Amino acid sequence: MSADQGWSSPVVGIMGGLGPLAGATFLRVLTLLTPASSDQEQLDAVLLSHSTTPDRTARIKDASAPDPTPVLLADALRLQAIGAELIAVPCNTAHEFLHRVTAQVDVPMIDIVDVTAAAAVERARSRSGDGSARVGILATDGTRAAGIYARAVRGLGADPVDTTDDEQREVMRIIYGQVKAGLPTDLDALLRLVDAMVERGCTAVVLGCTELSVAYDEHRLSSDARIVDSVDSLARATITRAGRTPLA
């Protein structure tokens, strides 16, 4: 893919299908946050929506479940071959497998967990009043079990707060029973989860699953300063790394 074929630089590759609606939502948010007054001023992007990629949470919870790593690697290499010059991965649980992928790919891969954790810790500190940072995490069973966000948040000098077991069942109901099933999101249930984190002293709450990001986008929750959305964070990081300034 070259400039004489009508593509601008850099071309953004998107590893979608993890799940499919989350990948589509990421492309929508990327487009809305890119400063552009015409089609031609938008970023060029290639969305590879590989919906049959093995479930990441299933593999984390059961080592005998299909491993998504070979599929993730093949898709990253496909995007690289097409001409992508950076790759965004709108799936939080995939973080657990990406270290085996990035070493075999020649273009930068933007890790949704790293950029979201950084945004959440910054938000938590700005809202705490005393510089402390306590970050609530709403994510899949796999992300929770692997401690993906807990490690990232601690690494930035902040305190992560996980869901209780009852809360986690509600998180999974929203992710798998509603968004992945193509059903409307129970907004009241999602906001109750956020409220519970705030009651435990969190000044920022991460939506650390891209299916939760679908609900965030669907219900226009960007005005809720307590919430840091992972797709929003990834889109902003992607635009920045493409040499542009995301819209406020």
Side-chain angles (χ1 to χ4, degrees):
M1 188 181 294
S2 61
D4 60 9
Q5 293 173 303
W7 291 81
S8 68
S9 181
V11 175
V12 177
I14 303 168
M15 289 175 61
L18 311 171
L21 191 54
T25 297
F26 172 74
L27 182 56
R28 178 181 183 278
V29 173
L30 183 74
T31 303
L32 290 174
L33 289 178
T34 299
S37 57
S38 67
D39 294 348
Q40 291 71 33
E41 292 180 357
Q42 286 286 344
L43 295 171
D44 283 335
V46 178
L47 171 60
L48 198 169
S49 188
H50 198 158
S51 58
T52 56
T53 302
D55 188 279
R56 284 65 61 201
T57 289
R59 174 66 178 191
I60 290 173
K61 295 176 69 177
D62 180 0
S64 68
D67 184 359
T69 307
V71 180
L72 295 171
L73 175 58
D75 286 349
L77 292 172
R78 285 188 184 100
L79 289 169
Q80 177 178 290
I82 288 170
E85 295 163 74
L86 66 158
I87 297 173
V89 187
C91 175
N92 292 272
T93 316
H95 172 94
E96 190 71 3
F97 307 93
L98 286 184
H99 64 281
R100 287 172 277 172
V101 174
T102 54
Q104 301 179 68
V105 178
D106 294 330
V107 299
M109 298 185 69
I110 306 173
D111 192 312
I112 192 170
V113 172
D114 291 344
V115 298
T116 303
V121 170
E122 180 180 0
R123 178 79 58 84
R125 287 191 172 125
S126 70
R127 298 188 71 245
S128 70
D130 60 5
S132 63
R134 191 168 171 83
V135 177
I137 302 161
L138 303 180
T140 64
D141 285 352
T143 297
R144 180 178 183 246
I148 291 171
Y149 267 104
R151 285 197 307 272
V153 168
R154 283 195 195 96
L156 294 169
D159 297 322
V161 178
D162 273 329
T163 50
T164 65
D165 289 345
D166 285 344
E167 289 167 350
Q168 186 60 25
R169 281 188 284 272
E170 189 71 346
V171 171
M172 292 296 284
R173 181 180 73 86
I174 294 170
I175 294 170
Y176 279 85
Q178 294 179 354
V179 179
K180 285 184 179 290
L183 298 175
T185 307
D186 185 343
L187 177 60
D188 289 341
L190 178 58
L191 292 179
R192 282 196 297 272
L193 290 164
V194 174
D195 290 342
M197 289 291 186
V198 172
E199 288 171 6
R200 296 207 288 276
C202 298
T203 48
V205 180
V206 168
L207 299 188
C209 172
T210 48
E211 271 66 44
L212 297 178
S213 299
V214 172
Y216 178 88
D217 184 62
E218 173 189 345
H219 294 292
R220 304 291 189 268
L221 295 176
S222 56
S223 61
D224 192 329
R226 304 173 301 170
I227 298 174
V228 176
D229 175 57
S230 58
V231 157
D232 180 85
S233 298
L234 180 63
R236 291 180 184 279
T238 300
I239 293 165
T240 299
R241 295 195 194 184
R244 308 281 288 280
T245 300
L247 296 171

